[in-house]
Amino acid sequence: MRTLFNVSTGLLITLIAVGCSRTPPPPAADANVGVVTVEILSGDTDKRSIQVPDVADGATLESVMRMVEEVPVSVSGSGTTAFVDSIGDVQTDATQGWTFKVDGEFANQGIGQTVLHPPTTVTWSYGAFEMETP
């Protein structure tokens, strides 16, 4: 029960911190465009790679995830409160969910604030939320 409380508290703190941040401005109309590769890892061996063309330099990960058509993606909220609820038929719950890396690095902000510079690769993984305990 304490672990569930710690996870819930951690998620709440993360959402509050993300909500306090500002949403980046939209990319300029004349921004360069490129391809964003979205990799989805939903199991030990299941990997799917999707190419999203014509992504403007400076676009947010939120806008890119809303452009994905090859697999259903559910995004709730927008801007600083945007959150990926599910990819395909795999939904986030209290103990497991989707996390992402951009070009191999874990992001330190939400999808509505994560600015992309194509060409780039975003890798989504599903698994248990891990919280560091002192």
Side-chain angles (χ1 to χ4, degrees), residues 17-105:
V18 168
C20 293
S21 301
R22 292 183 18 202
T23 301
D30 62 347
N32 292 328
V33 297
V35 174
V36 171
T37 301
V38 177
E39 296 178 338
I40 302 167
L41 309 173
S42 58
D44 291 337
T45 59
D46 189 22
K47 178 179 178 182
R48 183 164 189 180
S49 184
I50 298 167
Q51 303 288 312
V52 181
D54 302 322
V55 176
D57 184 56
T60 63
L61 179 53
E62 174 191 358
S63 65
V64 170
M65 294 309 293
R66 292 183 188 276
M67 295 168 65
V68 171
E69 296 178 350
E70 293 81 357
V71 61
V73 176
S74 174
V75 176
S76 61
S78 64
T80 58
T81 63
F83 183 78
V84 171
D85 296 311
S86 66
I87 299 176
D89 60 354
V90 182
Q91 292 188 309
T92 297
D93 62 30
T95 61
Q96 297 185 89
W98 292 100
T99 58
F100 65 94
K101 293 180 181 179
V102 177
D103 292 329
E105 298 289 327

Side-chain angles (χ1 to χ4, degrees), residues 104-119:
E105 298 289 327
F106 278 108
N108 59 0
Q109 55 194 3
I111 65 171
Q113 296 110 327
T114 299
V115 175
L116 302 176
H117 304 285

